[in-house]
Each structure stands twice: as C-alpha cells, then as structure tokens.
Amino acid sequence: MRTTYCGLVSETLMDQTVTLMGWAHRRRDHGGVIFIDLRDREGLVQIVCDPDRPEMFKAAEGVRNEFCLKVVGKVRARPAGTENTNLTSGKIEVLAYELEVLNASVTPPFQLDDDNLSETVRLTHRVLDLRRPMMQKNLMLRYRVAMEVRKYLDEQGFVDIETPMLTKSTPEGARDYLVPSRVHDGMFFALPQSPQLFKQLLMVAGFDRYYQITKCFRDEDLRADRQPEFTQIDIETSFLDEAEIRAITEGMVRTVFRKALGVELPVYGELTYAEAMHRYGSDKPDLRVKLEFTEMTDVMKTVDFKVFAGPATSKGGRVAALRVPGGGEMSRSEIDAYTEFVKIYGAKGLAWIKVNDAGKGRDGLQSPIVKNLHDAAIAEILARTGACNGDLIFFGADKAKVVNDALGALRVKIGHSEFGRNHGLFEDKWAPLWVVDFPMFEHDDEAGRWNAVHHPFTAPKDGHEDLMDTDPGACIAKAYDMVLNGWELGGGSVRIHRAEVQSKVFKALNISAEDAKVKFGFLLDALQYGAPPHGGLAFGLDRLVTLMTKAESIRDVIAFPKTQRAQCLLTGAPSNVDEAQLRELHIRLRNPAQA
Amino acid sequence: MRTTYCGLVSETLMDQTVTLMGWAHRRRDHGGVIFIDLRDREGLVQIVCDPDRPEMFKAAEGVRNEFCLKVVGKVRARPAGTENTNLTSGKIEVLAYELEVLNASVTPPFQLDDDNLSETVRLTHRVLDLRRPMMQKNLMLRYRVAMEVRKYLDEQGFVDIETPMLTKSTPEGARDYLVPSRVHDGMFFALPQSPQLFKQLLMVAGFDRYYQITKCFRDEDLRADRQPEFTQIDIETSFLDEAEIRAITEGMVRTVFRKALGVELPVYGELTYAEAMHRYGSDKPDLRVKLEFTEMTDVMKTVDFKVFAGPATSKGGRVAALRVPGGGEMSRSEIDAYTEFVKIYGAKGLAWIKVNDAGKGRDGLQSPIVKNLHDAAIAEILARTGACNGDLIFFGADKAKVVNDALGALRVKIGHSEFGRNHGLFEDKWAPLWVVDFPMFEHDDEAGRWNAVHHPFTAPKDGHEDLMDTDPGACIAKAYDMVLNGWELGGGSVRIHRAEVQSKVFKALNISAEDAKVKFGFLLDALQYGAPPHGGLAFGLDRLVTLMTKAESIRDVIAFPKTQRAQCLLTGAPSNVDEAQLRELHIRLRNPAQA
C-alpha cells in the first residue's frame, strides 16, 4: 500500500507519485492552502493540499492533530527559501492528489512537541508519548543496538539459548520476585536476577559460546537508573582467558557503536581496580573529567593536625588531594556548596587550599588549614599536585571508602559543572576503559565476615587460591568491568571450573557445605563432570542505550517502564486480583483490608 | 587457543597442526595405541595417542569418559578401510602431540549415547543430557531458526521492542501466573500470556512494524506439548491487509526453512475454516494424509436408521464418511480398535462398510449397517465417496463437533499408521497451508453466550460488522492460522482499530462497558487517538523447532524445561521460601503445614 515512509521522501523521488501513511503532526492553513506535516516512525514530510481538488481539500479541512491518514501525491520541490535543512524531506513537499482519513483522533491531552511534560503525564499517556520523535528515535536505536549485538555475536559463533524465567529462589544478593506455584502447594518460583548459573551450566554442557538478551528481575527500592525488570546482554564462553573474553566483548561494543551510532570508539584504557581507586576514588571513573587524586596519606602521618593525621595513621584510612586547575576563582559560597555535597558521601568536611602564589610557599596560600601543616607537608602538597597559581586543592581525609566516594563524586561534579567545562576540565568524548583485577572479597565489618565482590563463582587469579585461606583481602579475582563515561556498562569474570576451588570460596564466604549444596548443589554437581574453563560478561542494555542516546533517564529507552514506585501508569499494574485466584495459588493476603 | 572445532576438522586441514578442546566421548585401547573420540558442539574427531610420546601417552591413559581435554596434534588420513562416512571428520584422524586434561570427570550416571533414558533421569541430569549430540543439534537449530527469523524481519523493517514481563492480570483466557507486589500491599503483577495488547499499543504509537521473540506464560495443566513458559515469535504491522500480512509471514517461515534446514517449502495451500472442517474435520488438517471426508448429512435425512437420521435432521448435527482405500483388508479387531479410539473424542460408535464388489450394489457390501439404509442412500455413498473394491468406509454421525473431532482424529491415525504408510495414504513431506476466514464467535451452549474464537480484538470481515448484532454465528473474522503437517504453527488476525467496533465486539461477548473499561481501558483509550489499521501473527517457536527437528517432545528443544508437573528437576524449582520473604510480600500460606 505504502510506497515509502514519510521521513524518507526526498529529492531522489522528485516528480514521482508516492503513497504515504502517517499521522497529522501539525496542520496549517496558509493563503487558502492547507499544509500538513505528515509523520511516521522515520520522520516528517510536508503535504500540500490545494483547493483545486475539492474532494481532497474537503477531507484535509477535517484533519486535526494525530489523525491517521493515507495520502497519495506527487513529490515536488519546496518553493525557494522554504526548505528545512533539519529534515531528510526538507527540500521537497508532496502535492496531495488523494487524502483518506484512516482513523480520526480526539484531541490529545498534550502537544507532542511539548518538552516540559511531567513523567506522570508521559507514562499515563505512554502511547502518545511514544509517538514523539525522541521516543521513536530512542527505541529504534535500542533495536539497532540489540540487532548489531546479535549479528556480531552470531559471527563470533555465539549461540542464543533461552534460560528459564520461572526458576529457583536463592536468597542471596538482591530480593527475588516470587511466583506462587498452583501445582505445588506452599512452593514458589523466583524470577531470575540473572541467568548466571544457567549460563555456566550451558558451558559445562558444551555449548562453548552462549549469549542471550534477556529480562532480569530485582525487587529493590528503585533509584533513578533502576527498573524492576531490566535487560541484560548476557555472554559466556569456554576455553578463553580474561584478555580474550575482554577482546571479544570490547569488539562487540566497538562494532555496535560504529554500526548503530556511526561512532568509532577510541582505544580502551585499562586500569587495575587498585589504580582506579587510587587515582579516581572510583571503580568506574569518568575519564572525560581531567582531574586526578594525589595521594597524601604518607605525607600527613607526621602533621600535627588530627583531621589529617588521624586517618593517615589509622588502618584503612586515607588522605588524598584533588587539584582543581583554575579553581582559585571559586567563591566561598561555591566551596561551601561542595562541602555540603561531599557530606552526602559521609565526609565530615572539605579542607581546601587556594594557591595564590606558589613561589611564596605558605604565604602564597589561602586556606583555613595551612596553619596546621608543617612546611615540609606544604611543600610536598605543592610538589605532588603540581599546583600552579590560581589553582584550588581540595582534601579528603577519612576512612578510605569515605575519601574515595566523596572526593570521587566531587571530581565528577566539578568536571561536569559549568566551571569545569569552561576551564577545560571536561572533554566531551567517549572514554571507555576496562577496570581489571578486582579483589575477590571485601570485608563486612558489621557482620564480621567476607563477602564476594563480584559473585561467589568468580575465579581467583592463578596462584591466589591459597590466599583465600590465609589473606582473603589480598586475593585478586579474574574479574573485569567495562566502563564508559563513568558508567559501568558491563561486568564479568572467569568462573571457577573446579569443584574443589568452588568449595574453597564458599568456605571463605562462610557458606557451609550443607548450605552450598541446598542452594547451588546443581552447579557443584555439574562441575564434577569435566567442566571446561569458562567465563563471561553481562552488559546492561538499558544503560548502554541510555548512554548512546544521551537520554535523561533509563525510562526514556524502555517502551513501557515502571515508575520509581514500581507501577505501570498505563495499565495500572500491579492491581488487585480475585480471591479465587489467590485460593488456587494457596496463598492469602496478610492485610485483606488493604486490597 | 583453539584452532578449530573438533567436529569441523576434515581433510582440508590435512598435515596441519590443530589445537582442539573437547570432551572424551569414548576411549579405546587397540594394539597398544589409545583412540579417543573427542567431542565438542560441532561433532566428533578421532584422536590417536601413540606410545612413542611417553608423556602424552601417560596423560591419555588417565583419560576417562567426559574428561575435558586440550589436544594438539597433526591431521592425517585414517588408514584405508577405517573411514567413517557419518562424520565430517570421518576421513581423518588427529595424531596427538600434546594432551592436557583441563578437567577430570567422575563417572557419569549414564552413557551419553544411551537412547533409552527416562525423562526423569534426563531432566535431573540435564547438563549431561544436553551434551548429547541430539540435544546439541536441537538447540543449535533452535538458535539458527530464531536468528534467521530476526534477520528476515530486520530486512522487512520490523523492530524488536520489548514489552513488560511484570504486567496486569486480566482473568480472561488462561490462568495467569501472579507476582505479589512488595511495594503495593495486596496487589499483584501477572506474567504475560502474550504481548497482544502491548503490540497493538505499539502500532497505535506508530512503530509500524514490531516483532519480539519472547516468553509467554500460562498456568494451565500441562499436556504433552505444553510448558508453563513458552516462546512466541510475536509480530504486528500497520497498514497491511490480511493477505499482505500472510505473505510477509509466509515468507519468513519459508526463509527459515531454507536457511536453517535447507528445505524449500512447497506452495502453501489455502482453505477457509468452513472448508477445512468440511473436508478434514479439523482447522489444522495434516495434508500429508491423503484421506478426506465425504458429506453425507443431506443423504441421511431420509433413511430409516436413527443413528444417521437423528444427527442428519437435527440442528448442528452432521453425518460424514471417510473412505479408506484398501481398508477392506483391515481385520475386525483393527476396526474394533478404531472404534475404541474415536470414543476418546466423544463418538458413540463407528459405523463402517467394506466394499467387496461395488458393481453388485448392496450385495457387494459387508457391513453391520447397510441393512438399515435404502438403496438410494447406498448408491449415493458409493458414488460420492468414489469407493472401489477393497475399500473401507467409516461413518461419523453426531453433533458436528463430535463427528469432526472423532473422524478427523481417525483420519490422521489411519494415515500415520503402518497400514496407511503401506497403502500410500501418507506422503512424507512438508505440507503447509493457511486456514482463513475463521468465525468471529462460537456459542457456549452451557453458558448460553458467545465467545471469541480468536480473541476479542479481532476485526470482522468488511461488511460483517452488523452481523455482530443480528447473527453473531455468521460473522466471519479477519483471522488466519498457519498450519504445517497438522500443527498450528501460528495464528493471527487483523485487529479492530476503531473504538466503536471494539465496543460492539465487547457487547456481542456480553462484556459490559464498565468491565471493558476496567480490563482494557488503556486499549480503548489508545484507539481514540488515530489508531492505524493493524494486524499480526504469533508463532510458537518451541513448536516450530519441534517440527523442524522432528523431536519427540517439545522438551527436547528447550534447554531447561519443566516436567508435566511444572517442576524443574535440575534446580528443584519451585521450592519453599523463607517466611521473611512472604512477609515482605504481604502474603501468607493458606496451608503452612504443606511447606
């Protein structure tokens, strides 16, 4: 029926007759002629309705916004001076011969090109919201990304194998969504938090290279970039080492950026976890920001200033500086605002030094704290940071985690600020990197035990197996994250493929052999039958596409997202259900009055 | 690390050194030499371990079944007379230089090439079961099918858009799987039975061409070919009519058969629903079976034999004959067995006539019933069925549904039987067809109301809108099924795109405006805003692949299926969960003692 999409009509079709289907985006009457911007998923084209075809003109007069139309007409050049260079169809217009209203529309509750709609309005009227060119573009790009992922992995010999949605609850990690069983009274399925164990089983089963683009579920309180159901590009491969797995998945992301976005990603940086924390206070540093920490812990051990000397001399403490070139021009109120900001991350304050004249030493500095520092410390600060006149130096001094979080966030905040952009502290580019050599375990001081940093199936570095017994904190994992512009795009590891190593990890994590058997018995069992060396990675598709589209929210790259209260405003889910349904599932409400 | 897959080593690599990874499928010692069939997902290759490399030979001596190995060696021709033509690698073997045990295996609970394993054993040890070449082949083909679907639809401009897994319960159709909400006390999500409404909303949103390969859920008692979660190839398009939608999806299936299986499907047959029921008693006739019904209702109105005259003269009754060429040689016990068989479908008996000598009329027939039929009826039976000497004619006489079900099943049973195959009543081929023009409604005599045959969003044929009021039973839908070898591969329809037609259907189905608003308000709302004409189709991927692989069960094309009791024997799902989890979800067990 249709000869082409509205958005694709261009001067290459000059003088040809086209048949178009679309929606009336805007209608204007001008000098006795009706102009309709006809819209479809590919874009807009201008339709011209002349009164010398009375029947067609009459139909055009009845057209209102969002009417669904069929138009047959001839492509002609727009009059000189009326071209629109923003549109593919900007040099032409279509002179209508026939116009048929396929379906009328009541007046929409908002203008589609209104950019100031509340999220509640947008999600309640999601179908109309999805008609907006921005949402069309986002979801089309999302599709392109997924399809390019599939094509790339297909070429690399990966096989998409579906894993179950109705699976077993393992109350580790995040909270499960549960599904009551009707057939088995009192029992429940869980929706998968990830296909982790199944993909490992597929490697043991010999499928060699697996992938899946699949929904995962976590019943957590939602933050801005989280959804109860999210989509993972899940990858696992046998017989490859860390570097080979990284190369293959880096190639995937590189290909996707090239094919879906026309962007050639630069060479990936590579940082160890330790180095990333040391230099940026973060395991997902935004390398577009040209600011780095300077280590000061050793220097501050000897100062007579408790705020610094305390953390510098305590186990697990850290003192670090962040030099901000040109920061000397920041006002006191700006500095105060940053002081408030770092408190979010647990910092008790934010010490600072303005370098007015570095050559004058202490006298050239303006700061509430220099009086507390001896000359050698001051000299070392200036030397190590390389501070110049006009710079500002911030300090963090606390437990390492607090310093890293607070100063790390401050680094990003300043980099992205107007100040940062004006002072060349931010470079607008794609800055991908690998963060490698994550620790196997982190200590939970409150619970007094070790937790897995990645997950309990991650392999230790060769030669680190015994450290699991003797010094778990020093044990490094074969784990890696792909980071882009400060976002963790994906993470993975080489897995444990020997049952005895897996048992050792469970022991280090204080999981009893019995518990391990109940929860992961089927994995331990599988590892006994010649499990191959294997490893993989999982990428967050929602997040990847959010980055690529530069969308403001993850909800702008999902067709039918939930609100932060985990509701679908369009369909009204979740909702009450019939008592009979609950009875069949052998459950009852705890608070029936609520329902 | 690996240079190629085991199963792909062939004479093209003659004299080259290869590095292989795989599993010891079988190990034989023969004349002081060790032979190992090394297996990976692509197949087997024979490894030869000579004692003149002592270190390697020693490692080979320790190898047992299912050990995971790395082998480096040289490709050479097998000695003349030892070639295996069943294998890609059948003309060569690999002389091992190095052999490394990557991981040992305990003795597997069964031999991988044992074809007589119970399903319980197979599903309990699914990881080992998946190593079997048949399961590897099935899941690899499943992937190929899905990928070829994606490529085809991509080329046709379809866009994969994900719809929610956590959605709203609509207690229509099958039983929902429910998911209690933690955030909203007393409320539940439902897992989708299909993305039907969402894909229609995406058409209203202007995405034009949508597809998704996605999990759907139905909490029904399981039959042989059902799973609680199954995979649907879900397709929807705007602005196309029935024939165009069928052409595009037929092209998809045709392409998939060509690319994944190397099979060129023949031209599709096309039958109306009425004709299919008339000739085959089924809306998914297996056209490989060369048997057809002969209509006898009109003929039997006048006979003095109540068994035939009753149904022939009653409203909704039917009398039909099934001529079986060569059936005269069936024994009485065979006929008795078929009489028992049709009782499954509600038939009270199975009348029959053996045609010994058609030229002699009544006297040439052998039958318990001919005495009850007048000469004209007998003449008409012979004339209409075209029965020849040696044929057998079966009769069904009952309500039309019983006749269709019973005689339809008998037709397939005889066609597939040894008798049928020996008598040329079955042609082993691919026999695809479209069944079109389904009725809109079927009457539920018990409930005294009309139900939707397809679903309530299906559009009536042009001009049939008013029949919804005046004669619902005569109202034909724009609905179609794709049928292959007696299986419904997919079904779909053109949807209603005008709110007023949709309201009319709800009225015919006795769904009040209020009820419709509560359940489908968001769809009705969307239809008001210039919804485009649209329609689509959904294919069952599990079923398609089962057919293509000729697997015995749908569970043989699913990596981790559930049993018919809806359990996963591998992981033990469903399972008990902690009381704390239930409390967070605001539910309690009805029968705590069960858990």
Side-chain angles (χ1 to χ4, degrees):
Chain A
M1 292 165 91
R2 168 173 48 206
T3 56
T4 183
Y5 284 104
C6 299
L8 303 182
V9 183
S10 71
E11 53 276 23
T12 61
L13 295 173
M14 196 66 81
D15 295 326
Q16 294 186 32
T17 297
V18 292
T19 302
L20 305 172
M21 313 279 175
W23 286 264
H25 191 66
R26 222 176 279 110
R27 203 203 79 167
R28 302 182 306 284
D29 296 30
H30 189 74
V33 174
I34 297 174
F35 294 90
I36 297 171
D37 286 342
L38 195 65
R39 185 195 70 238
D40 64 19
R41 75 177 200 196
E42 302 297 337
L44 297 170
V45 66
Q46 179 166 292
I47 310 292
V48 183
C49 306
D50 260 355
D52 51 359
R53 293 179 191 259
E55 200 180 338
M56 182 278 299
F57 192 77
K58 189 151 179 285
E61 281 183 315
V63 168
R64 297 290 174 273
N65 280 359
E66 299 310 316
F67 274 36
C68 183
L69 306 178
K70 173 183 176 183
V71 173
V72 181
K74 192 175 150 184
V75 179
R76 69 179 191 190
R78 290 198 192 194
T82 68
E83 294 92 346
N84 181 342
T85 52
N86 292 323
L87 298 177
T88 303
S89 67
K91 289 186 181 160
I92 57 88
E93 59 190 15
V94 174
L95 180 65
Y97 295 159
E98 295 169 35
L99 187 153
E100 183 186 346
V101 174
L102 297 174
N103 210 354
S105 172
V106 299
T107 306
F110 53 80
Q111 290 283 336
L112 259 64
D113 40 17
D114 182 345
D115 281 335
N116 290 306
L117 301 170
S118 78
E119 188 151 81
T120 302
V121 166
R122 290 182 54 197
L123 293 182
T124 304
H125 301 279
R126 187 57 158 183
V127 180
L128 291 173
D129 186 48
L130 286 174
R131 283 191 186 167
R132 303 165 78 207
M134 180 267 283
M135 289 305 299
Q136 298 264 320
K137 186 184 125 288
N138 286 0
L139 291 180
M140 302 280 277
L141 182 78
R142 182 186 177 110
Y143 167 60
R144 208 63 255 153
V145 168
M147 193 64 196
E148 295 301 339
V149 163
R150 293 184 188 280
K151 284 187 186 170
Y152 175 87
L153 293 174
D154 187 62
E155 280 162 20
Q156 301 286 331
F158 286 82
V159 174
D160 177 358
I161 301 178
E162 296 171 61
T163 54
M165 288 284 125
L166 294 171
T167 183
K168 191 185 178 187
S169 180
T170 52
E172 296 274 305
R175 207 183 278 113
D176 281 325
Y177 276 102
L178 295 183
V179 183
S181 164
R182 178 178 56 87
V183 181
H184 303 278
D185 188 349
M187 298 199 170
F188 293 79
F189 295 102
L191 301 180
Q193 295 186 23
S194 98
Q196 181 64 34
L197 294 176
F198 287 106
K199 71 176 175 175
Q200 292 192 235
L201 295 178
L202 288 171
M203 291 303 99
V204 181
F207 285 99
D208 198 62
R209 293 188 165 194
Y210 145 96
Y211 86 97
Q212 201 183 182
I213 300 182
T214 189
K215 283 280 174 73
C216 301
F217 303 84
R218 281 182 207 166
D219 186 10
E220 294 298 323
D221 295 318
L222 302 182
R223 296 201 308 248
D225 60 342
R226 290 275 177 90
Q227 283 281 307
E229 52 180 294
F230 56 98
T231 304
Q232 200 159 292
I233 305 170
D234 197 46
I235 293 172
E236 196 80 3
T237 166
S238 297
F239 304 117
L240 298 187
D241 66 20
E242 284 178 84
E244 290 164 323
I245 296 171
R246 287 204 300 268
I248 228 169
T249 50
E250 181 178 319
M252 179 186 93
V253 172
R254 189 175 286 287
T255 302
V256 165
F257 267 81
R258 185 186 309 126
K259 299 221 172 158
L261 213 54
V263 164
E264 196 62 46
L265 284 181
V267 173
Y268 274 56
E270 185 172 317
L271 286 172
T272 65
Y273 172 87
E275 199 180 352
M277 298 309 283
H278 185 72
R279 290 169 60 185
Y280 307 105
S282 167
D283 59 2
K284 41 179 188 282
D286 184 346
L287 295 191
R288 295 173 301 174
V289 175
K290 298 179 182 171
L291 297 171
E292 279 195 33
F293 290 13
T294 306
E295 190 60 51
M296 287 294 159
T297 310
D298 54 332
V299 177
M300 298 305 165
K301 283 183 196 300
T302 58
V303 299
D304 208 19
F305 179 43
K306 261 199 200 145
V307 173
F308 283 5
T313 55
S314 309
K315 184 165 181 283
R318 183 177 190 190
V319 183
L322 183 74
R323 173 192 160 212
V324 182
E329 67 188 56
M330 278 187 198
S331 69
R332 188 58 196 255
S333 69
E334 281 175 278
I335 294 175
D336 287 348
Y338 286 131
T339 307
E340 282 308 302
F341 173 74
V342 295
K343 286 181 183 168
I344 300 170
Y345 301 90
K348 289 179 222 57
L350 182 64
W352 54 271
I353 297 177
K354 280 190 179 175
V355 182
N356 296 330
D357 188 344
K360 290 192 187 161
R362 178 188 300 271
D363 294 338
L365 305 181
Q366 176 190 346
S367 163
I369 60 154
V370 282
K371 61 178 181 293
N372 303 310
L373 304 177
H374 53 60
D375 287 346
I378 288 174
E380 198 64 19
I381 288 169
L382 294 177
R384 286 201 191 176
T385 60
C388 305
N389 294 348
D391 290 357
L392 174 67
I393 306 168
F394 285 116
F395 294 87
D398 210 310
K399 285 183 189 150
K401 182 175 163 35
V402 172
V403 171
N404 291 336
D405 289 352
L407 223 51
L410 180 65
R411 173 184 169 270
V412 171
K413 178 112 181 146
I414 293 174
H416 284 252
S417 69
E418 215 186 311
F419 170 87
R421 288 171 188 263
N422 289 340
H423 286 73
L425 305 182
F426 180 86
E427 190 181 352
D428 194 3
K429 63 176 179 182
W430 297 105
L433 80 154
W434 286 103
V435 178
V436 303
D437 290 357
F438 278 77
M440 280 285 282
F441 307 104
E442 64 189 346
H443 199 257
D444 181 339
D445 292 339
E446 271 178 49
R449 63 192 197 89
W450 293 96
N451 287 331
V453 169
H454 199 63
H455 56 54
F457 317 110
T458 302
K461 285 267 175 203
D462 299 335
H464 283 224
E465 292 86 352
D466 290 338
L467 287 173
M468 290 197 275
D469 290 331
T470 56
D471 187 3
C475 185
I476 301 293
K478 291 181 176 174
Y480 33 80
D481 277 359
M482 187 190 288
V483 175
L484 179 61
N485 292 5
W487 290 41
E488 182 199 323
L489 275 193
S493 64
V494 169
R495 327 298 181 184
I496 295 164
H497 70 286
R498 291 182 200 269
E500 68 271 19
V501 180
Q502 188 64 70
S503 298
K504 243 180 169 167
V505 171
F506 285 146
K507 200 179 144 212
L509 293 170
N510 216 10
I511 298 174
S512 73
E514 218 166 63
D515 258 26
K517 202 178 161 178
V518 170
K519 285 176 190 158
F520 310 113
F522 55 99
L523 176 69
L524 295 175
D525 187 56
L527 291 182
Q528 295 183 83
Y529 296 105
H534 63 286
L537 223 121
F539 291 91
L541 177 62
D542 308 293
R543 204 177 276 185
L544 174 61
V545 179
T546 304
L547 261 177
M548 290 178 78
T549 56
K550 301 186 194 281
E552 278 174 29
S553 153
I554 202 172
R555 292 182 293 282
D556 282 349
V557 302
I558 297 172
F560 302 104
K562 305 282 189 296
T563 63
Q564 297 211 30
R565 292 264 300 154
Q567 279 180 300
C568 172
L569 297 182
L570 174 70
T571 61
S575 63
N576 297 319
V577 298
D578 293 345
E579 173 62 21
Q581 287 176 277
L582 300 184
R583 197 172 299 128
E584 282 195 305
L585 299 176
H586 321 290
I587 58 171
R588 59 175 102 235
L589 301 183
R590 225 164 252 274
N591 310 306
Q594 290 284 334
Chain B
M1 294 165 90
R2 167 173 49 205
T3 56
T4 183
Y5 283 105
C6 299
L8 302 182
V9 183
S10 72
E11 53 276 24
T12 61
L13 295 173
M14 197 65 81
D15 295 326
Q16 293 185 33
T17 297
V18 291
T19 302
L20 304 173
M21 313 279 175
W23 286 265
H25 190 67
R26 221 177 279 109
R27 204 203 77 167
R28 302 182 307 282
D29 295 32
H30 189 73
V33 175
I34 296 174
F35 294 89
I36 297 171
D37 286 341
L38 195 64
R39 186 195 68 237
D40 63 19
R41 74 177 200 196
E42 303 296 337
L44 298 169
V45 67
Q46 179 166 290
I47 309 292
V48 183
C49 305
D50 261 355
D52 52 358
R53 292 178 191 260
E55 200 180 339
M56 182 278 298
F57 192 77
K58 187 150 181 285
E61 280 183 315
V63 168
R64 296 291 174 271
N65 280 359
E66 300 310 315
F67 273 37
C68 182
L69 307 178
K70 173 183 175 180
V71 173
V72 182
K74 191 173 151 184
V75 179
R76 69 179 190 190
R78 292 199 191 194
T82 67
E83 294 93 345
N84 181 341
T85 52
N86 292 324
L87 298 177
T88 304
S89 67
K91 290 186 179 160
I92 57 89
E93 59 190 16
V94 174
L95 180 67
Y97 295 159
E98 296 170 34
L99 186 153
E100 183 186 347
V101 174
L102 296 174
N103 210 352
S105 172
V106 299
T107 305
F110 52 81
Q111 290 282 336
L112 259 63
D113 39 18
D114 183 345
D115 281 336
N116 290 307
L117 301 170
S118 77
E119 188 151 82
T120 302
V121 166
R122 290 182 55 198
L123 293 182
T124 305
H125 301 279
R126 187 58 158 182
V127 180
L128 291 173
D129 186 48
L130 286 174
R131 282 191 187 168
R132 302 166 76 209
M134 181 265 284
M135 288 304 299
Q136 298 264 322
K137 186 185 125 290
N138 286 0
L139 291 181
M140 301 280 278
L141 182 77
R142 183 187 176 110
Y143 168 60
R144 209 62 256 153
V145 168
M147 193 63 195
E148 294 302 339
V149 164
R150 293 184 188 282
K151 284 188 188 171
Y152 175 86
L153 292 175
D154 187 61
E155 280 163 20
Q156 301 286 331
F158 286 82
V159 174
D160 177 359
I161 301 178
E162 295 171 61
T163 55
M165 288 284 125
L166 295 171
T167 181
K168 191 185 177 186
S169 180
T170 52
E172 296 274 305
R175 209 184 277 113
D176 281 325
Y177 277 102
L178 295 184
V179 183
S181 163
R182 177 178 56 87
V183 181
H184 303 277
D185 188 349
M187 296 198 172
F188 293 78
F189 295 103
L191 301 179
Q193 295 188 23
S194 98
Q196 181 63 35
L197 294 176
F198 286 108
K199 70 176 174 174
Q200 293 193 233
L201 295 178
L202 289 170
M203 291 303 100
V204 181
F207 285 100
D208 199 61
R209 294 188 166 194
Y210 145 97
Y211 86 97
Q212 200 182 183
I213 300 182
T214 189
K215 283 280 175 71
C216 300
F217 303 83
R218 281 182 207 167
D219 186 9
E220 294 299 322
D221 295 319
L222 301 184
R223 297 201 309 250
D225 61 342
R226 290 275 176 89
Q227 283 281 309
E229 51 180 296
F230 55 98
T231 304
Q232 199 159 291
I233 306 170
D234 198 44
I235 294 173
E236 195 80 3
T237 164
S238 298
F239 304 118
L240 298 187
D241 66 21
E242 285 178 83
E244 289 164 324
I245 296 171
R246 287 203 300 267
I248 229 168
T249 50
E250 181 179 320
M252 179 186 92
V253 172
R254 189 174 287 287
T255 303
V256 165
F257 267 80
R258 186 185 309 126
K259 300 221 170 157
L261 213 54
V263 163
E264 195 61 47
L265 284 181
V267 173
Y268 273 56
E270 185 171 319
L271 286 172
T272 65
Y273 172 87
E275 199 181 353
M277 299 309 283
H278 186 72
R279 291 170 59 186
Y280 307 106
S282 168
D283 59 1
K284 39 179 190 282
D286 184 346
L287 295 190
R288 295 173 302 173
V289 174
K290 297 177 181 173
L291 296 172
E292 279 196 32
F293 290 13
T294 307
E295 189 61 50
M296 287 293 159
T297 311
D298 54 331
V299 176
M300 298 304 165
K301 283 184 197 297
T302 58
V303 299
D304 206 20
F305 177 44
K306 259 200 202 145
V307 173
F308 283 4
T313 55
S314 309
K315 184 166 181 282
R318 183 177 189 190
V319 184
L322 184 73
R323 174 193 159 211
V324 183
E329 67 188 54
M330 278 187 198
S331 69
R332 188 57 195 255
S333 69
E334 281 175 277
I335 294 176
D336 287 348
Y338 286 132
T339 307
E340 282 307 303
F341 173 73
V342 294
K343 285 181 183 167
I344 300 169
Y345 302 90
K348 289 179 223 52
L350 183 63
W352 55 270
I353 298 176
K354 280 190 180 176
V355 182
N356 295 330
D357 187 343
K360 288 192 188 162
R362 177 187 303 270
D363 294 338
L365 305 181
Q366 176 190 347
S367 164
I369 61 153
V370 280
K371 62 178 181 292
N372 302 311
L373 305 177
H374 54 59
D375 288 346
I378 289 174
E380 198 64 21
I381 288 169
L382 294 176
R384 286 201 191 176
T385 60
C388 305
N389 294 347
D391 289 358
L392 174 66
I393 306 169
F394 285 117
F395 292 87
D398 210 310
K399 282 182 192 154
K401 182 175 163 35
V402 172
V403 171
N404 292 337
D405 287 354
L407 223 51
L410 182 64
R411 172 183 169 272
V412 172
K413 178 113 180 147
I414 293 174
H416 285 252
S417 69
E418 216 185 311
F419 169 86
R421 288 171 187 264
N422 290 339
H423 286 71
L425 305 182
F426 180 86
E427 190 183 352
D428 195 2
K429 63 175 180 182
W430 296 105
L433 81 153
W434 286 104
V435 178
V436 303
D437 290 356
F438 278 77
M440 280 285 283
F441 307 104
E442 64 189 347
H443 199 257
D444 181 338
D445 293 339
E446 271 178 50
R449 62 192 197 90
W450 295 97
N451 288 331
V453 169
H454 199 66
H455 56 55
F457 317 109
T458 302
K461 285 268 176 202
D462 298 336
H464 283 223
E465 292 86 352
D466 290 338
L467 287 172
M468 290 197 276
D469 289 332
T470 57
D471 186 3
C475 186
I476 302 293
K478 291 182 176 173
Y480 34 79
D481 277 359
M482 187 190 287
V483 175
L484 180 60
N485 292 4
W487 290 40
E488 182 200 321
L489 274 193
S493 64
V494 169
R495 326 300 181 185
I496 296 164
H497 70 285
R498 291 182 200 269
E500 68 272 18
V501 180
Q502 188 64 69
S503 298
K504 243 179 168 168
V505 171
F506 285 146
K507 200 179 144 212
L509 293 170
N510 216 10
I511 298 173
S512 72
E514 218 167 60
D515 258 26
K517 201 177 162 178
V518 171
K519 285 176 189 159
F520 311 114
F522 56 99
L523 176 69
L524 295 174
D525 186 56
L527 291 182
Q528 295 183 84
Y529 296 105
H534 63 288
L537 223 119
F539 291 92
L541 178 62
D542 309 293
R543 203 177 277 185
L544 174 62
V545 178
T546 304
L547 261 177
M548 290 177 78
T549 56
K550 301 186 195 279
E552 277 173 31
S553 152
I554 201 172
R555 291 182 293 282
D556 282 350
V557 302
I558 296 173
F560 302 104
K562 304 283 188 296
T563 65
Q564 298 211 29
R565 293 264 300 153
Q567 278 180 302
C568 172
L569 297 182
L570 174 71
T571 60
S575 63
N576 297 319
V577 298
D578 293 345
E579 172 63 20
Q581 288 176 278
L582 300 184
R583 197 173 298 127
E584 280 195 305
L585 300 176
H586 321 290
I587 57 171
R588 60 174 100 234
L589 301 183
R590 226 165 252 275
N591 310 306
Q594 291 284 334

